[in-house]
Amino acid sequence: MSLQESLDSLPIGAFFVAYTVVAATISESGYRLGNWWQERTPEEREGPTGMIVGSLLALMAFLLATATGMAADRFDTRRGLVLAEANSVGTTYLRAGYLPEPASSKVRSLLREYVPLRIIGTADLADVRVRMARSAELQTKLWSIAEDLARTTPESEVLALFIASLNETIDLHETRVVAGLYARVPETIILLLFSGTILTLGMVGYNAGLTRRRSPVTAFAMIVVLGAVITLVVDLDRPRDGFLKVSQQPLIDLQEQIGALPPANPPR
C-alpha cells in the first residue's frame, strides 16, 4: 500500500490527532535528550544549535508553503472540471435537439442517465470506479449514434456542432478521472514534509533542553499549528473524502434542469 493510500484510509480528524501526538512525543523526547546532554557535559556551550533550528524552521515554512500551493492547485483543478463538465454535458444535451428523431430523444435519454453518474459524492473508491465504467459505456453508445448520423449526413453543420460538444464531454471524463484519482501531490513531497516537520520539532525541543528554557504553551501551539497546516495539505489532496470537498452543485443543477433522476439503487 502506498503512502497516499494509507493516508486516504485514515479519517482526516484521526490523522490530525495522530500527527499531533507523534509530534508532541518527538518534541518532548528532544527536550529530555537536550536536558540530559547538558547535564552530562555542563562545560559545553549551546553552540550553533539555535542557528540550525532557525534555519530548519525557515526551510519548513518554505516547504509547507510549496506543498499547500500544490495541493490547492489540484483542488481548484478538480473544482473547475466539475463546472466544465456540467457546461459541456448541458451543451451536448441542447445540441441534441438538432438531431433527427429518434436519435434526438435517444441521446437525451442517455444523457439523463449519464449526469447522475458524474455526481461523485462518495468516498467509496469501488463505487467511483463502477460509476466511471458505466459512464464509459454510455459514452460508447452516444458516440455510436453520432457515427451513424455522420455516415448518413456527413455534410450537416449542426451535426458537426453536436459531435464537437460530445467529443468535449468524452474528453472531460478522462480529464476528470486523471485529476481525481492520479493528480496528487507527489509522495516524495508528502514524506519530506512529514519527516522534516518531525525532525524540526525534535530539534526545537532539543535546543530548549540545552538552554533549559522552554514554554510548554508555545511548544504546544506550534505543534497544533503545524499539524493543522499539514492536515490541510492532506485534506486538499484528497479527491473524495475530508472536510474540504469539491462541490458537485453544477452537475446537480444540470440534473434538475434536464429532468434526470438519480438511480433508484446506486450502481454496483
Side-chain angles (χ1 to χ4, degrees):
M1 181 181 291
S2 66
L3 174 62
Q4 287 174 334
E5 290 175 345
S6 300
L7 293 176
D8 289 346
S9 65
L10 281 175
I12 198 68
F15 170 81
F16 174 74
V17 172
Y19 178 85
T20 302
V21 171
V22 171
T25 302
I26 294 297
S27 179
E28 180 65 21
S29 299
Y31 174 78
R32 295 191 179 189
L33 177 62
N35 198 10
W36 172 81
W37 183 254
Q38 185 65 24
E39 290 178 352
R40 185 178 179 184
T41 57
E43 70 280 359
E44 291 188 11
R45 296 184 178 182
E46 178 186 347
T49 306
M51 184 187 305
I52 294 173
V53 169
S55 300
L56 285 174
L57 288 171
L59 286 173
M60 289 317 304
F62 172 76
L63 184 57
L64 280 170
T66 301
T68 303
M70 294 176 67
D73 286 344
R74 283 156 174 77
F75 181 84
D76 287 339
T77 297
R78 292 193 293 270
R79 182 169 55 185
L81 286 173
V82 172
L83 177 59
E85 184 171 37
N87 289 334
S88 178
V89 175
T91 300
T92 304
Y93 184 87
L94 292 175
R95 289 180 179 178
Y98 299 152
L99 306 179
E101 293 292 350
S104 177
S105 297
K106 188 173 182 181
V107 166
R108 287 186 166 179
S109 177
L110 290 173
L111 289 175
R112 290 191 190 99
E113 182 182 353
Y114 183 77
V115 171
L117 296 172
R118 312 303 299 168
I119 302 174
I120 310 298
T122 176
D124 185 357
L125 183 58
D127 180 65
V128 172
R129 293 190 183 280
V130 170
R131 286 173 177 268
M132 296 301 101
R134 179 56 182 163
S135 297
E137 292 175 4
L138 295 178
Q139 290 168 11
T140 301
K141 293 180 180 180
L142 288 166
W143 193 253
S144 296
I145 295 173
E147 285 180 338
D148 292 340
L149 292 173
R151 292 190 187 97
T152 57
T153 56
E155 303 299 328
S156 174
E157 294 182 1
V158 293
L159 177 60
L161 290 174
F162 168 76
I163 291 177
S165 60
L166 177 59
N167 184 71
E168 182 183 11
T169 296
I170 295 174
D171 289 344
L172 281 171
H173 161 78
E174 185 62 27
T175 303
R176 195 174 169 203
V177 168
V178 172
L181 297 180
Y182 308 115
R184 311 285 298 274
V185 176
E187 289 189 0
T188 303
I189 299 295
I190 298 294
L191 185 60
L192 181 60
L193 186 62
F194 291 167
S195 58
T197 53
I198 293 298
L199 174 62
T200 300
L201 289 172
M203 287 299 298
V204 169
Y206 179 75
N207 184 63
L210 288 179
T211 60
R212 296 183 177 178
R213 297 193 306 270
R214 71 166 178 172
S215 170
V217 175
T218 302
F220 180 74
M222 182 173 65
I223 291 171
V224 170
V225 170
L226 278 175
V229 174
I230 292 177
T231 301
L232 175 64
V233 173
V234 173
D235 198 8
L236 286 171
D237 193 43
R238 291 189 175 193
R240 299 175 307 280
D241 192 16
F243 293 130
L244 301 175
K245 296 182 180 180
V246 174
S247 175
Q248 306 294 302
Q249 194 59 45
L251 287 169
I252 294 173
D253 292 341
L254 176 63
Q255 176 180 307
E256 294 175 352
Q257 290 171 9
I258 67 177
L261 297 175
N265 296 313
R268 295 294 180 188

